[in-house]
Every structure is written in C-alpha cells, then in structure tokens.
Amino acid sequence: MSQNIYDSIPFFESYSKYPRMEKGLAGASEWPLLETMLPPSLVSKTVLDLGCGDGWFSRWALDQGAKAVCAMDVSKNMLSRARALSPPDQYSGITFRQVDMDIEVLSEKLDPEEEAAYDVAFSGLALHYLVNLEAALRQVFRSLSPGGLFVFSVEHPIFTAPQRPGFNKKTGAGAAQGQQDWPLSSYFAEGEREVNWLGAPVRKQHRTISSYLKALRTVGFEVVVVDEWGVSEDDSRKHPDWPNDGGIPRFLLISAMKRVDAADSL
C-alpha cells in the first residue's frame, strides 16, 4: 500500500506552500522539458492522469483540447483541492477518482468501454512512491490503446539512492560560492528509503535507471525518450528553494509507447 502522506493535515498544509502547489505548471521546474515529450496535440484525445495531485495537468490537458481526462490520486486532500480548482462549468471533462495504484486494479476503476481506450497516460512525480511498480505499469499498458503514449517523471535515482540523503557544503579550490555536494551512495541497493521532509517521515522507493527501463520493456512498452532534468546556468531551470547543487540531476523523465502490434500483458 502506498504511503498516503498527503492526507496528513500538517503535511498537506506545509506542502500547499510549495511553488508547484501555489503556481501549478509555472511552479513545476521540469515541466518545459516534460511537455516536449507529450504528443504535439491533445485535441480529441482521452487522457489518464495518474497521481494527479491538485489536477494541474488534467486542467492543462483539457485546455489543450483533450476530449476527456480521468484523474486518479490516493489522497482525498489532493482530490478535494483538484475538484475545487476545476469548476464543472469549465472542466466537466475531468473525472476524479481515488485510487491506490499499489493495491487496486486500475482496470477495475475504469468503465468497461474505457479499457484500452486512452490515448495518453501521464504521471508527474508519483511512481517512485509505488512498491509494486511493474504491476502498476501493466495496468497503464492495458489502459492505453495501441499506439498510446505514457509520459512520466520520477525523482532521479541519483537523488533517491542515499540511505541518508543530504547536501554537504562543497569546499576546496574552484568551489562556487554556496555550492553544495550531493554524496551518492547505495545506488545499486534498490528498495525503500525514508526521508524527513516537511517535518514528516516520507517513504520512497529507490530504483536504478536501468530498472525503470527494464520494467517498462517487461510489460510491453517501447521506450521512446529518456531525459534528465537538473538545475543549470539556464535561469529557466533554476528553482528558488534549492541550493546551488552544481547541476545534479533531480528528475528522470521517460516516454514509452504501446506498440500498435502489442498484446495486452495484464
């Protein structure tokens, strides 16, 4: 079962002050790169938004001309916020559903005619919380129509790897003012990591890049694009809350396609 930390009131109130909650797309630093991995047009497409949070991607998809969006999240608080920000007179095409992707069968949450009927599936920074990633990927695979695209982001494995994560101040010749190092350890020791974030213990699952790619291929996806996002000298890639980290990768971004000749693998 996924940890539902966002239904903790103190945690949710703290997280609500984060840029990506206050600003939506504008507060998601990796969004410009992630957007390039999506289809050039969403007009008349059906979209699945997994780990929808407050619904920012679902609203964006509908604004881009999507026919319908099914938005799922484990958190009641997030879904309540998403509904409040998505007035029915403007976003009637969005259906919000509470789903724990770690224990529930995704296809059972869909109407029979919806199975294998989504053109695009999207997940923003949610899959690294799942214990059983491969099972969830099988569900996504089955929900997509042939030729459908799955685009997602996760915390970069370099960032999730350390057993005791934390920046160290960089010293020595050539160190930029205020620059900090991210000590990498335990990269190949996959499994649960617990970090203290916003005053609460948060559980994540560390996987290597190769494990993400292998899981996608195992269930039948064809990997299309693999990219990485990290702070650079480009102002558009900076984040006001993050230290000068010397350019470590923060997010792993992947797009994968359900081949037209692929058979359902659930």
Side-chain angles (χ1 to χ4, degrees):
M1 179 176 180
S2 300
Q3 181 188 26
N4 188 3
I5 191 68
Y6 294 96
D7 277 352
S8 162
I9 298 301
F11 184 90
F12 186 74
E13 289 177 348
S14 296
Y15 184 74
S16 295
K17 299 174 184 177
Y18 259 55
R20 66 178 63 233
M21 280 288 279
E22 291 186 330
K23 301 178 182 179
L25 285 176
S29 304
E30 76 284 5
W31 170 247
L33 180 57
L34 196 57
E35 184 181 5
T36 66
M37 300 168 69
L38 290 161
S41 174
L42 291 182
V43 173
S44 299
K45 294 188 181 298
T46 50
V47 177
L48 190 60
D49 185 3
L50 300 168
C52 66
D54 69 357
W56 59 268
F57 174 78
S58 296
R59 291 187 294 275
W60 178 86
L62 217 61
D63 289 341
Q64 301 304 305
K67 179 171 63 176
V69 180
C70 181
M72 298 182 173
D73 203 282
V74 68
S75 167
K76 289 182 179 180
N77 284 339
M78 282 294 189
L79 290 171
S80 178
R81 174 73 65 87
R83 291 186 178 99
L85 293 173
S86 310
D89 60 336
Q90 187 176 358
Y91 295 107
S92 60
I94 303 177
T95 302
F96 293 104
R97 298 175 182 173
Q98 186 176 18
V99 175
D100 183 345
M101 290 187 289
D102 248 342
I103 63 172
E104 296 181 271
V105 179
L106 179 58
S107 58
E108 291 178 355
K109 293 290 181 176
L110 307 176
D111 295 331
E113 63 270 19
E114 291 180 310
E115 194 170 312
Y118 286 93
D119 301 303
V120 179
F122 176 84
S123 181
L125 301 180
L127 298 186
H128 53 266
Y129 293 112
L130 300 184
V131 175
N132 196 343
L133 176 66
E134 188 173 310
L137 292 179
R138 289 186 187 279
Q139 301 288 348
V140 177
F141 184 88
R142 186 171 183 177
S143 73
L144 285 171
S145 58
L149 195 65
F150 180 33
V151 178
F152 68 91
S153 62
V154 292
E155 285 194 356
H156 198 285
I158 284 180
F159 210 68
T160 59
Q163 297 282 354
R164 296 181 179 179
F167 283 97
N168 295 326
K169 185 176 181 180
K170 188 171 184 177
T171 60
Q177 183 177 5
Q179 185 170 321
Q180 300 188 50
D181 278 333
W182 181 260
L184 177 61
S185 63
S186 307
Y187 182 79
F188 293 105
E190 297 187 331
E192 184 173 286
R193 302 290 192 270
E194 185 174 289
V195 298
N196 189 283
W197 186 39
L198 302 179
V202 178
R203 297 193 303 272
K204 304 175 184 179
Q205 299 299 319
H206 167 65
R207 297 178 176 91
T208 64
I209 294 176
S210 59
S211 286
Y212 279 110
L213 300 180
K214 187 181 298 182
L216 286 164
R217 293 185 178 116
T218 295
V219 305
F221 278 110
E222 178 181 331
V223 177
V224 179
V225 178
V226 178
D227 216 330
E228 299 164 293
W229 186 95
V231 177
S232 74
E233 295 305 314
D234 180 354
D235 285 341
S236 67
R237 294 169 70 94
K238 296 188 182 302
H239 193 291
D241 299 329
W242 292 344
N244 180 358
D245 58 21
I248 68 166
R250 294 285 187 133
F251 304 122
L252 177 65
L253 286 62
I254 298 177
S255 68
M257 182 180 67
K258 180 176 180 176
R259 298 189 310 276
V260 174
D261 61 348
D264 286 342
S265 62
L266 186 63

